[in-house]
Every structure is written in structure tokens, then in C-alpha cells.
């Protein structure tokens, strides 16, 4: 059994409401389905085939983990810590929505072992928050930060988004200022991306989203980088900024193309099965399908086939129609397996991912795995720099990350 | 089979008059293929079935017991209907004694019906008029007969009435073939003379020659000789079409079939050549037929320069099956090594491109189609130019001549005005009109070929709600005021995008071209200036702003697979781009010229 410490991700798919831009696996559901799903997640974690492997970082994402009750959330962390004992100093993060937290919940979470919070602030301007469909108002962000501090959290992240519909550069700079006034240890500043299968995508197709031009988006990004630098943050990834030593350890595991274990509906894990060969798996996405799969077989069978089947969408649609829906369409009888998608990551694919992920960060990638000619061309363009053994994107190169990767993979 | 019981015939018709369906019914009726639900049986190319048209002629042997109690061997040669493939029709005719002339009962005689019928009559073929689709609500059999008599000038009283769709009248048609089409002449005891009227390449058997035997006979083991080259081959197999190749013991005078003889190269089975036997050769070859003359030219280049040799191979093989195609090597500063190819028309060009891409797995770039211009230089020299980039500078040109066509357009009388306006706009010269029946008119025009190349036929169809039909013959050279328009990207001329146009249309065409390019050229790292010029004078220009960013804001554990696949796709897309100076051009850019006819 591999005993290397690893990152562990827990996905809680429930939210008070679905935001127009969100394409994560999240559901605005209430009642017993939440209890059933939490119970199934406990079963999944406790029956893990990777039990005993230490955790170097644990991350609860969603969805909205804090939409769960204190008891549910802390109970899940307890299971994770039992199965994957955290190494000393391990980062244990939960995402939190400022509209779903209060001091007692933060206190319980701190007591259970969480030591970092990531607050989905998104914007400090009321008109932005309404348009985004968020359940919280600007004042609740400050309140949440205050209560988190009071509960003893000394490692806080704020998520902000820019290039929102109708957003001006002035409004964005104001947002940055208000965020910095709260003195977080970490900031994630994301350019709004219009993803397929979202309400924003459909609105945009009809020309009903007033999105800023490329030029404005670039200016907003450059403003953000400048403001962060002045405030003493280091940009350690394309969209992430941290005070010294406060980088998100969990996310760094992704960007270093390390292994990660994952539990919960729609969670994606990537783990080495044999030397040079990793399995990436996606859990059944819909909570009902997930519960059923866990009930049938809590420890997933690792199939050798490339793809097991596209059963998530077929059996359970977004409204959670009958679990029997689609059963006749050639899907094997009995509950669908827990892993709805699997993919083998071989050494070639891993190299591609290592480049794509590593170049997002200030650590870059080992120059030895890159084609030499492409390196010199990209260096000449001012997009790439060599620092000893590492090839690292320049600030300008960050703007063209895709372009650079397409040259290097 | 006794020669007097053989009938060789073809089917000629205007496009869409139901030729291939009628052929299907004949095949079914004679029981060649039982229980096949597939339609368009003779159209063996995927492309033909997809587009619902016949591109290559196909042949099949049918066995039919007639009312007189005797068995007949009917060799049916199906032919294409589109005006671009007229050449294929003329070759098919050479192998036959009779032709079924199909006229759609609801559409009446069309321009191509007349063109094909007159071709058949010139070859002394017996014409059997057939009025098809008689069960359509708009069918007007009397009018169709009237039009056949007045414009094709053959008696139509006893025209066979059919509905290929429902199978009506098929028995009558088979009887008419037996009774009206003459048995082949020829003498089985004379030395062998067999005309190669088509061929295709088979990777295992080499060239397969489609032949019509006029005299003598041929069988496996014979030493056959090509009369044009004197080359000798051992006959491997002979046979007929079912429509698959069906081996038989011998092919005799009067019969249609195929011959294989391990012929390895194109020249070995030249279409139009006569096959005889080495040991008992015929004195003189059969008359071949007029070589098809390509009228449209364009450059064909592999997207990936490494595929040049593959492209040459593929064109050589295609040429074997598509005798009208011509090609010569050429080079382009923008595209590297390729070929200048000649085609019968745009549809032919498009089909050839698609066959090369599909059947040979190539990825091609086509340059703007052009006609063959005759350029008179100021120093008295005269040259043919079909590649716009080879056009001399304006100061060296005394004048230019371009090919013209004599067009025949047939349509209901209410569209006379529309058709004439369209022809006028295309620099047409009115010749005359005729009225073959009360409400139909035939209009004759001389038009510059270049003006009908791109979309004339589409425009004609749409402005007459599909009622007009069109046919043309190549006419004389006409002197015209033509200019070459160059396209520059960031100051570099892209030779593959240059085009020749009448001076009066040069500004709007240049503008349209620039607009089209602005749409299809993706934003690049640097600003891209697009300019169109005549000589040193810029007549249209635009710019494409550089992209400012290309980055994904978020990438965490669950996103990795999808983002990686996007990158891999982007990389694949880059490979298909052509680097022209500092600018990357997608394949579509080179097709822009086709899209800016207006």
C-alpha cells in the first residue's frame, strides 16, 4: 500500500440556489436527500480502498459545504481524518458561502480540525451580487470574515470575480480595495468564464450579457496583479495570490500534477494504480445515483476499461427523475457503478498535464521535459523565462497560457 | 449469347428526371438483384448516394425474357446528368446502339435533354423517348410529347410512359428496348477491336478497363495489345457488371464488359484506346472520341507539405477513373508544392477534391478557380495563363482574351425578364430566343466563362424558382478588360488568393474578399492588415485586431481532463494552419474566393 501523503478532496454538491455562471456539480436541493447523501459519503470514505494513506491537505468544496449543518460537515471531516490521518501541519480547508455561516458554525468547524476557510465573496457591489444570483449581500462578507477571525481562523481566502456583465474597471478596482481592507491571507481573482450548460451561456448566445471586451478584461487582470503586488501578495498562480507561505497547499497539489483522492457526488480523483499509470475517476454526479451506487457497492470496482459508461446523465437528469429512467437503454441492470467516467493517465498524458498545470504557477515546469526549439521561440517572444532548471511563464505569458501550452505539449 | 439478342443502351436525361431510379427499376424487374432495398444501385460511390447524383457512369448486364419468348442480354450504361459531366455521357454513348431519353412529365424537356439527345443522334444512336413521373399531380404527358417533337425533333407518339417510383410501365420499357434498339453490328470472326470507354484502379488487379467489343473476342490468357502504344499484356480476366465485376469466360463482339491484365500505370489503359490481340491484330483502331477540355483551373495543395508525394499518387490514380481531369505541377510561395488542375466545371472540381480527401485520406487546400486566359504582351508574345499569380504586370499586357460560352437557357416564359437581367449583369451578349411550346422559351446568350463559373447556375435556379435549365458549349475567345487583384496580409502578397476579374467588378469583388477574409482569419498575436490591390494601388483594406489573451481562469482537479482535451484540439488545429509570413491562415481562408462571387 502506497503510504505517500496525498491531497484529499470532498465534494458536497448542495447549494441554497444555483448561480447563473456556475457549471459545477451542484444542486439546489433540501430535506432528506441531503441526509442520505451525507450518510452515503460517510460510507464511501469509511470503505475507501485507500484507507490509511495520510493526507497532506484536505479540501471541502462544492456546492456549498457550509450549506450542511455543523454536525454533518464536521462528521464528514472526522471520517476523512480517521481514514486519512493528516500529517502535522496539514492544511484543512472548507469553502464557505458568506450567506450560510455564523459564528457557532465557524467555532464548530475550527474545533473539528478545519484550519483554513475559502469564502465565496465574488463581489462587494450589490448590483453584481444580484446579477450573479448570490444569496449574500456585501455586508455579510465583512461579517463572515469577522466571525471567522473570532472563531480563530488565521488563514482566509476570498474568491472574487471580474469581467462580470456590465462591470466597469472602476467598479472592479473598488472591489479589489474592499477585499484588501478585510486583510485576507489569500485571494483568488477569477475572470468570469462563460461555460456551456449554464444560464449565462444561453443568455450570452442571445446577446443578453453585456460582457467587457478582451481589452477591458486584460486591463482588469493587470489592475488586479498590480494591486496585489502593492499590497504585498505574491501571484503564485494565474488567478491566485497569497501572503508569504499562505499558498493553498491543496491546490498546489493539482498544479504540481500530483495524485489526489476524492469522495462525494461528482468528485474527481486521480491516483496511481501501478508505476507510471494513474486512474482518473469521476463519481456518479447526481446525489440520488450516487447514493444508490454506494448502497450497492461502497468500494468501487476498478474497471480496466477506458470508459465505463455515460450513465449519470442517462439515469438521473438534473431534476432527479426516476432512478429507473434510461435503464432499458443498454445500461447494465442493477445500480450503475460509482465511477461514471474513468480515464487512464499514461506517461504521455501526464507530461501534457504537468506542462499545462505547472505553467499556471510561479514554479513553472522542468525545462527538461519541453522541446528546446519551442522554448527559445517562446523566450524570444517574452512569454517564457528560464530560471535554472525551471521554465516559467512571464506576467505577459500568463495572458497566453493556452497558446504556450499548445506549442509545448 | 447470340449477337442478335444483345442490346447495348444508355439512359440520358436532365439532372433529377429520375434516371437512376429508373435504372433501379429495370434492374429489379429483370431480377438481377433480389430483395435489395438500397436505392441508386448503380451509384456505387458514397459521394453519389449522399448527393443523390450520378458522377461516374456505371454499367450493368440484365437478362430479360421478352414477350417473344427469347432471352435478351441488355447492357445498361447509366450516365451522369449534371452539365459538368457531359463528357462522361459522350463516352457512354460510344458503347451503345440506343439511348433511352427520359423526360420528366411535369418538367418537360430541359436544356440538357436537348444537348444530350443531339449528342446521341450525332452518334447514330436509336432514341427511345420515355416520359417518366407520369403519376405526379402536375404531370402533363401531352405537353412533354409536344416538346420532344418540337425541340428534340423525334417522333414522340409512341413514347413509353413510366413511373420509376411506382414501377409503372417498366415492362413496356423493356419491350421497347428489345424492339427498338438495334442489335450490335460487328463480326466475331474478325480480329479483336475493343474500345476502352472507362477504367478504374483496383489495388489488387491494377487498371480495370471497361470495354465495348466491336469485332472479335477476348478471353483470359490472350495476349492483348494496346493499339496506341503497342504495349502487350496477358489478359487475367474478363467479365461483365452485375453491377459488381462478374467474371465470365469470354467477351465477344457486341458485348460490354471489363478486362483486367495487370496493367500497372495510367497510360496502360488509356480511355479511348483500342485493344486488339498481339497475334492477330486489327488493321486500324476504332475512332476514339473528342478529348474533354477542362474549363476551370485551380491549384491543389496538401495542407501538410509532406503529403505532396501522396497527392501526386492520388491524382494519378484518380485521373485513371476521371479522364477529364488534367494536372501539372506548380509551386506557390504561400502553399509550397502542388498541382494546377483542370476541371470540367465547379461541381467536377468539388467532387474531385472530395474524392481525393476521402478515398486517399488527404487534407487539401484549393486556390481560387480560374479560366484559361490568353494574354497578349506588349512585346508581341502570346501566352495562356490559368494561374492568376502568373499574370504579368499591367504595363506588360497589351490585351487579354478570355473564353466564352454559348449558353442555352430554357424556362417558363414568365421568367424571360429575370433570366435576361441575370445574363446582362454577367456581361452576357443576347443572341436569340425560341419558343418550343406555348409557355416555354429557349434563350441563347454568349457569356464570359469566368462569369458563369462561380454561382451563375445557382442564381439562375433561385431567381426562376428552380424552373430554368441551363446548358452550354464552349465558344470563342473574347477580348475583355481584365485586371488581377492581389491580396496582401501584413504587406505580403498571398499568391494563392490572387484572382482575375473584369475591371468594372474589381472594387466590389475586392471588398467582398477582404470582408470574407476578416471573418475567417482568426485573431492572431499581432494585428493583421488585409489589403486588396491592383498593381501598387490598394483598393480595399481592413484589419484584424490581435487577440489580447488566451488563458483559462480556473483549473482544478475536476477540470484537468477537459482542459487538456481543449489544448490537444487547439494544437491539432494549429497543425492545419498555413503560416504565411507572420500570419496563420486556416484552410477556409483559401475557399473565401469561392464565397464572394457577388
Amino acid at each position: 500500500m502506497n503510504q505517500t501523503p496525498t491531497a484529499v478532496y470532498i465534494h458536497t454538491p448542495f447549494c441554497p440556489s444555483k448561480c447563473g455562471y456556475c457549471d459545477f456539480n451542484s444542486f439546489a436541493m433540501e430535506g432528506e436527500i441531503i441526509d442520505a447523501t451525507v450518510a452515503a459519503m460517510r460510507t464511501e470514505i469509511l470503505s475507501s480502498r485507500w484507507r490509511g494513506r495520510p493526507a497532506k491537505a484536505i479540501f471541502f468544496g462544492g456546492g456549498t459545504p457550509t450549506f450542511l449543518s455543523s454536525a454533518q460537515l464536521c462528521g464528514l471531516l472526522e471520517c476523512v481524518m480517521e481514514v486519512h490521518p493528516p500529517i502535522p501541519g496539514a492544511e484543512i480547508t472548507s469553502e464557505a458561502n458568506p450567506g450560510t455561516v455564523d459564528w457557532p458554525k465557524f467555532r464548530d468547524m475550527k474545533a473539528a480540525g478545519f484550519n483554513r476557510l475559502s469564502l465565496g465573496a465574488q463581489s462587494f457591489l450589490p448590483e453584481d451580487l444580484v446579477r450573479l444570483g448570490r444569496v449574500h449581500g456585501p455586508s455579510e462578507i465583512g461579517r463572515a470574515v469577522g466571525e471567522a477571525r473570532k472563531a480563530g481562523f488565521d488563514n482566509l481566502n476570498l474568491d472574487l470575480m471580474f469581467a462580470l456583465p456590465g462591470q466597469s474597471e472602476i467598479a472592479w478596482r473598488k472591489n479589489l480595495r474592499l477585499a484588501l481592507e478585510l486583510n485576507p491571507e489569500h485571494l483568488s481573482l477569477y475572470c468570469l468564464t462563460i461555460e456551456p450548460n449554464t444560464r449565462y451561456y444561453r443568455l450570452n448566445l442571445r446577446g443578453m450579457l453585456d460582457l467587457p471586451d478582451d481589452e477591458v478584461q486584460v486591463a482588469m487582470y493587470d489592475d488586479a496583479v498590480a494591486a496585489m503586488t502593492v499590497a504585498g501578495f505574491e501571484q503564485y498562480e494565474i488567478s491566485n495570490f497569497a501572503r508569504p507561505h499562505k499558498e493553498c497547499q491543496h491546490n498546489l497539489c493539482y498544479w504540481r500534477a500530483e495524485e489526489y483522492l476524492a469522495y462525494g457526488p461528482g468528485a474527481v480523483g486521480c491516483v496511481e494504480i501501478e508505476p507510471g499509470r494513474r486512474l482518473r475517476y469521476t463519481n456518479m454526479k447526481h446525489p440520488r445515483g450516487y447514493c444508490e451506487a454506494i448502497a450497492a457497492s461502497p468500494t468501487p470496482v476498478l474497471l480496466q476499461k477506458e470508459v465505463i459508461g455515460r450513465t449519470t446523465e442517462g439515469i438521473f437528469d438534473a431534476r432527479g427523475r426516476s432512478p429507473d429512467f434510461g435503464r432499458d437503454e443498454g445500461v447494465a441492470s442493477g445500480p450503475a457503478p460509482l465511477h461514471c467516467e474513468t480515464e487512464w493517465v499514461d506517461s504521455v498524458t501526464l507530461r501534457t498535464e504537468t506542462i499545462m498545470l505547472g505553467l499556471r504557477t510561479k514554479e513553472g515546469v522542468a525545462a527538461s521535459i519541453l522541446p528546446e526549439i519551442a522554448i527559445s521561440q517562446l523566450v524570444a517572444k517574452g512569454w517564457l523565462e528560464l530560471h535554472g532548471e525551471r521554465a516559467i511563464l512571464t506576467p505577459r505569458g500568463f495572458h497566453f497560457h493556452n497558446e504556450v501550452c499548445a506549442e509545448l505539449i | 449469347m447470340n449477337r442478335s439478342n444483345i442490346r447495348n443502351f444508355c439512359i440520358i436525361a436532365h439532372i433529377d428526371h429520375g434516371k437512376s431510379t429508373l435504372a433501379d427499376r429495370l434492374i429489379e424487374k429483370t431480377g438481377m438483384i433480389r430483395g435489395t432495398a438500397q436505392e441508386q444501385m448503380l451509384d456505387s460511390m458514397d459521394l453519389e448516394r449522399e448527393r443523390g447524383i450520378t458522377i461516374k457512369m456505371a454499367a450493368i448486364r440484365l437478362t430479360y425474357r421478352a414477350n417473344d419468348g427469347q432471352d435478351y442480354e441488355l447492357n445498361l450504361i447509366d450516365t451522369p446528368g449534371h452539365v459538368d459531366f457531359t463528357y462522361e455521357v459522350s463516352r457512354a454513348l460510344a458503347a451503345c446502339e440506343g439511348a433511352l431519353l427520359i423526360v420528366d412529365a411535369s418538367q418537360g424537356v430541359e436544356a440538357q435533354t436537348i444537348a444530350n439527345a443531339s449528342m446521341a443522334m450525332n452518334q447514330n444512336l436509336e432514341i427511345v423517348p420515355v416520359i417518366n413521373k407520369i403519376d405526379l399531380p402536375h404531370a402533363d404527358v401531352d405537353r412533354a410529347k409536344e416538346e420532344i417533337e418540337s425541340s428534340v425533333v423525334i417522333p414522340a407518339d409512341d413514347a413509353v410512359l413510366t413511373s420509376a417510383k411506382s414501377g409503372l410501365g417498366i415492362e413496356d420499357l423493356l419491350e421497347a428496348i428489345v424492339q427498338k434498339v438495334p442489335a450490335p453490328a460487328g463480326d466475331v470472326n474478325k480480329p479483336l477491336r475493343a474500345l476502352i470507354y472507362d477504367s478504374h484502379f483496383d489495388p489488387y488487379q491494377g487498371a480495370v478497363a471497361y470495354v465495348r467489343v466491336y469485332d472479335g473476342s477476348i478471353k483470359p490468357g490472350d495476349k492483348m495489345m494496346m493499339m496506341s502504344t503497342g504495349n502487350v499484356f496477358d489478359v487475367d480476366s474478363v467479365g461483365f457488371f452485375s453491377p459488381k465485376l462478374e467474371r465470365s469466360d469470354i467477351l465477344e463482339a457486341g458485348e460490354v464488359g471489363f478486362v483486367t491484365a495487370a496493367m500497372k500505370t495510367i497510360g496502360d489503359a488509356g480511355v479511348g484506346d483500342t485493344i486488339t490481340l498481339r497475334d492477330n491484330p486489327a488493321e486500324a483502331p476504332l475512332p476514339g472520341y473528342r478529348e474533354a477540355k477542362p474549363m476551370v483551373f485551380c491549384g491543389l495543395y496538401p495542407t501538410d507539405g509532406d503529403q505532396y508525394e501522396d497527392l501526386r499518387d492520388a491524382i494519378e490514380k484518380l485521373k485513371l477513373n476521371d479522364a477529364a481531369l488534367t494536372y501539372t505541377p506548380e509551386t506557390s510561395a504561400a502553399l509550397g508544392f502542388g498541382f494546377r488542375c483542370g476541371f470540367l466545371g465547379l461541381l467536377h472540381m468539388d467532387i474531385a477534391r472530395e474524392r481525393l480527401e476521402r478515398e486517399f485520406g488527404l487534407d487539401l487546400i484549393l486556390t481560387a478557380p480560374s479560366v484559361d486566359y490568353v494574354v497578349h504582351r506588349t512585346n508581341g508574345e502570346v501566352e495562356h495563363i490559368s494561374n492568376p499569380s502568373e499574370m504579368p504586370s499591367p504595363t506588360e499586357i497589351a490585351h487579354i482574351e478570355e473564353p466564352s460560352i454559348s449558353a442555352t437557357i430554357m424556362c417558363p416564359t414568365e421568367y424571360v425578364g429575370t433570366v435576361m437581367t441575370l445574363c446582362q449583369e454577367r456581361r452576357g451578349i443576347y443572341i436569340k430566343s425560341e419558343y418550343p411550346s406555348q409557355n416555354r422559351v429557349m434563350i441563347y446568350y454568349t457569356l464570359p466563362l469566368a462569369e458563369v463559373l462561380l454561382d451563375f447556375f445557382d442564381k439562375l435556379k433561385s431567381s426562376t424558382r428552380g424552373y430554368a435549365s441551363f446548358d452550354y458549349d464552349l465558344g470563342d475567345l473574347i477580348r475583355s478588360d481584365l485586371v488581377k487583384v492581389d491580396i496582401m496580409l501584413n504587406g505580403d502578397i498571398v499568391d494563392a488568393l490572387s484572382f482575375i476579374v473584369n475591371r468594372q467588378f474589381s472594387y466590389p469583388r475586392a471588398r467582398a474578399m477582404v470582408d470574407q477574409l476578416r471573418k475567417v482569419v482568426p485573431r492572431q498575436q499581432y494585428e493583421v492588415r488585409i489589403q486588396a490591390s491592383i498593381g501598387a494601388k490598394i483598393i480595399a483594406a481592413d484589419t484584424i485586431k490581435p487577440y489580447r489573451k488566451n488563458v483559462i481562469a480556473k483549473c482544478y482537479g475536476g477540470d484537468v481532463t477537459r482542459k487538456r482535451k481543449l489544448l490537444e484540439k487547439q494544437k491539432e488545429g494549429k497543425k492545419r494552419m498555413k503560416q504565411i509570413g507572420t500570419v496563420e491562415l486556416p484552410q477556409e481562408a483559401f475557399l473565401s474566393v469561392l464565397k464572394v462571387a457577388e
Side-chain angles (χ1 to χ4, degrees), chain B residues 27 32-33 42 59-62 240-246:
Chain B
I27 294 166
M32 278 302 294
I33 298 168
L42 293 184
I60 185 169
R61 177 184 288 189
L62 312 172
F240 56 92
F241 308 99
S242 78
K244 293 197 302 286
L245 303 186
E246 208 67 64

Side-chain angles (χ1 to χ4, degrees), chain B residues 25-204:
Chain B
R25 287 301 97 80
L26 291 174
I27 294 166
E28 270 171 27
K29 197 77 186 174
T30 52
M32 278 302 294
I33 298 168
R34 248 177 260 280
T36 316
Q38 202 171 31
E39 293 188 348
Q40 284 181 269
M41 291 183 211
L42 293 184
D43 295 343
S44 59
M45 270 191 261
D46 287 345
L47 211 52
E48 292 182 316
R49 287 183 205 270
E50 275 166 32
R51 298 196 179 204
I53 57 170
T54 304
I55 298 162
K56 286 294 297 177
M57 58 187 150
I60 185 169
R61 177 184 288 189
L62 312 172
T63 311
Y64 174 63
R65 176 158 296 171
N67 290 345
D68 61 12
Q70 295 191 49
D71 284 339
Y72 289 86
E73 175 188 315
L74 311 181
N75 290 307
L76 158 61
I77 296 173
D78 193 20
T79 58
H82 192 277
V83 64
D84 273 11
F85 300 106
T86 308
Y87 175 65
E88 295 276 335
V89 177
S90 74
R91 298 203 337 242
L93 298 178
C96 304
E97 277 78 35
L100 309 185
L101 178 73
I102 315 292
V103 174
D104 183 323
S106 66
Q107 306 278 321
V109 169
E110 303 276 11
Q112 248 183 294
T113 321
I114 302 170
N116 287 343
S118 62
M119 230 187 318
M121 287 190 286
N122 287 342
Q123 301 244 9
N124 292 322
L125 263 54
E126 181 66 32
I127 311 273
V128 180
V130 180
I131 298 173
N132 191 27
K133 304 197 186 179
I134 55 165
D135 54 349
L136 282 186
H138 300 296
D140 186 343
V141 172
D142 289 337
R143 197 196 68 172
K145 284 185 178 174
E146 188 191 329
E147 288 186 2
I148 293 173
E149 295 194 342
S150 65
S151 50
V152 187
V153 207
I154 54 168
D157 259 353
D158 55 351
V160 186
L161 306 182
T162 61
S163 165
K165 206 164 169 215
S166 67
L168 207 70
I170 300 302
E171 195 95 16
D172 296 344
L173 181 55
L174 286 162
E175 285 299 317
I177 294 167
V178 168
Q179 283 159 26
K180 290 188 175 173
V181 176
D187 190 340
V188 74
N189 298 316
K190 279 193 181 168
L192 171 70
R193 287 201 301 173
L195 178 71
I196 304 179
Y197 69 87
D198 199 3
S199 58
H200 81 265
F201 194 83
D202 181 288
Y204 302 105

Side-chain angles (χ1 to χ4, degrees), chain B residues 426 450-451 453-456 459 501 505 508-509 512-513 592-598:
Chain B
R426 301 301 175 98
E451 294 292 333
L453 263 190
L454 288 182
D455 63 342
F456 179 78
K459 277 274 166 357
V501 63
F505 298 138
R509 275 286 297 281
M513 180 75 186
S592 301
V593 202
L594 289 171
K595 294 184 182 131
V596 294
E598 275 305 274

Side-chain angles (χ1 to χ4, degrees), chain B residues 214-374:
Chain B
Y214 283 83
D215 292 317
S217 65
I218 183 168
K219 58 183 185 305
D222 282 350
K223 300 254 183 238
M224 72 179 206
M225 182 174 82
M226 297 293 173
M227 292 195 75
S228 65
T229 59
N231 290 342
V232 173
F233 299 94
D234 292 327
V235 177
D236 281 338
S237 69
V238 301
F240 56 92
F241 308 99
S242 78
K244 293 197 302 286
L245 303 186
E246 208 67 64
R247 288 182 181 217
S248 63
D249 298 336
I250 191 163
L251 279 181
E252 291 187 327
E255 290 189 308
V256 173
F258 69 88
V259 174
T260 65
M263 296 175 277
K264 286 195 193 70
T265 68
I266 294 171
D268 291 341
V271 169
D273 205 345
T274 300
I275 300 177
T276 190
L277 295 183
R278 186 192 63 185
D279 300 332
N280 182 18
E283 276 175 22
L286 294 157
Y289 25 71
R290 186 164 60 103
E291 280 263 341
K293 204 172 162 187
M295 297 201 279
V296 185
F297 299 83
C298 80
L300 266 182
Y301 293 84
T303 310
D304 175 357
D306 295 344
Q307 284 193 333
Y308 173 73
E309 292 296 329
D310 299 342
L311 176 61
R312 194 223 312 269
D313 247 32
I315 294 183
E316 276 176 9
K317 290 198 174 109
L318 187 64
K319 162 83 181 165
L320 188 61
N321 192 236
D322 185 351
L325 176 75
T326 65
Y327 63 98
T328 49
E330 74 169 9
T331 53
S332 151
L335 302 175
F337 291 102
F339 295 93
R340 178 123 304 240
C341 297
F343 304 95
L344 301 169
L346 275 198
L347 179 66
H348 183 209
M349 176 174 112
D350 198 34
I351 298 278
R353 174 194 61 79
E354 207 165 329
R355 288 185 69 186
L356 286 169
E357 293 201 330
R358 270 194 206 198
E359 295 172 22
F360 301 94
L362 296 166
D363 212 357
L364 300 176
I365 289 174
L366 271 70
T367 65
S370 164
V371 298
D372 189 28
Y373 296 98
V374 177

Side-chain angles (χ1 to χ4, degrees), chain A residues 190 214 217 239-240 254-255 260 280 343 349 353 360 381 383 398-403 407 409, chain B residues 523 525 547-558 560-564 567 570-571 574:
Chain A
Y190 298 116
D214 264 20
Q217 294 184 18
S239 303
N240 284 280
Y254 292 140
W255 297 323
Y260 45 99
R280 181 169 291 127
E343 175 190 33
T349 309
E353 293 181 357
R360 297 187 67 87
K381 270 186 189 169
W383 288 359
F398 274 150
H399 288 303
F400 303 102
H401 173 263
N402 285 346
E403 199 68 26
E407 292 289 339
I409 62 173
Chain B
R523 285 176 141 204
Q525 233 172 289
Y547 63 67
R548 300 299 309 278
K549 61 179 202 118
N550 185 358
V551 56
I552 295 161
K554 279 186 186 190
C555 192
Y556 298 108
V560 176
T561 299
R562 190 158 62 99
K563 309 290 188 212
R564 189 193 74 231
L567 273 186
Q570 187 179 341
K571 183 183 172 159
K574 269 178 109 67

Side-chain angles (χ1 to χ4, degrees), chain B residues 504-550:
Chain B
Q504 69 181 99
F505 298 138
S506 58
Y507 277 68
R509 275 286 297 281
R511 182 73 250 165
M513 180 75 186
V514 168
D515 288 346
Q516 183 65 26
L517 281 171
R518 205 172 65 84
K519 271 187 237 155
V520 299
V521 176
R523 285 176 141 204
Q524 322 242 329
Q525 233 172 289
Y526 309 102
E527 181 175 274
V528 178
R529 272 176 299 128
I530 309 172
Q531 294 166 309
S533 69
I534 299 175
K537 187 177 174 197
I538 307 292
I539 59 169
D542 212 330
T543 55
I544 299 172
K545 285 201 287 182
Y547 63 67
R548 300 299 309 278
K549 61 179 202 118
N550 185 358

Side-chain angles (χ1 to χ4, degrees), chain B residues 437-584:
Chain B
S437 67
Q438 213 177 11
N439 42 27
R440 287 174 74 79
V441 60
M442 283 174 74
I443 310 167
Y444 296 85
Y445 259 94
T446 297
L447 286 156
L449 175 59
E451 294 292 333
V452 299
L453 263 190
L454 288 182
D455 63 342
F456 179 78
F457 191 54
D458 291 342
K459 277 274 166 357
L460 182 68
K461 277 278 184 199
S462 59
S463 61
T464 61
R465 298 174 56 213
Y467 281 112
S469 61
F470 170 64
D471 194 60
Y472 63 79
D473 280 327
L474 206 54
D476 300 327
L477 288 171
I478 49 175
R479 196 164 153 163
S480 304
D481 185 13
L482 300 169
V483 291
K484 177 175 74 151
V485 176
D486 285 320
I487 299 293
M488 294 186 284
L489 294 177
N490 285 350
D492 299 328
I493 291 181
V494 183
D495 58 359
L497 291 176
S498 301
F499 58 94
I500 291 165
V501 63
N502 191 267
R503 190 182 299 276
Q504 69 181 99
F505 298 138
S506 58
Y507 277 68
R509 275 286 297 281
R511 182 73 250 165
M513 180 75 186
V514 168
D515 288 346
Q516 183 65 26
L517 281 171
R518 205 172 65 84
K519 271 187 237 155
V520 299
V521 176
R523 285 176 141 204
Q524 322 242 329
Q525 233 172 289
Y526 309 102
E527 181 175 274
V528 178
R529 272 176 299 128
I530 309 172
Q531 294 166 309
S533 69
I534 299 175
K537 187 177 174 197
I538 307 292
I539 59 169
D542 212 330
T543 55
I544 299 172
K545 285 201 287 182
Y547 63 67
R548 300 299 309 278
K549 61 179 202 118
N550 185 358
V551 56
I552 295 161
K554 279 186 186 190
C555 192
Y556 298 108
D559 309 318
V560 176
T561 299
R562 190 158 62 99
K563 309 290 188 212
R564 189 193 74 231
K565 285 184 176 160
L566 280 177
L567 273 186
E568 284 165 347
K569 211 168 137 193
Q570 187 179 341
K571 183 183 172 159
E572 210 40 51
K574 269 178 109 67
K575 267 200 226 152
R576 289 175 61 103
M577 297 274 217
K578 272 282 173 188
Q579 184 85 33
I580 312 284
T582 52
V583 183
E584 283 182 333

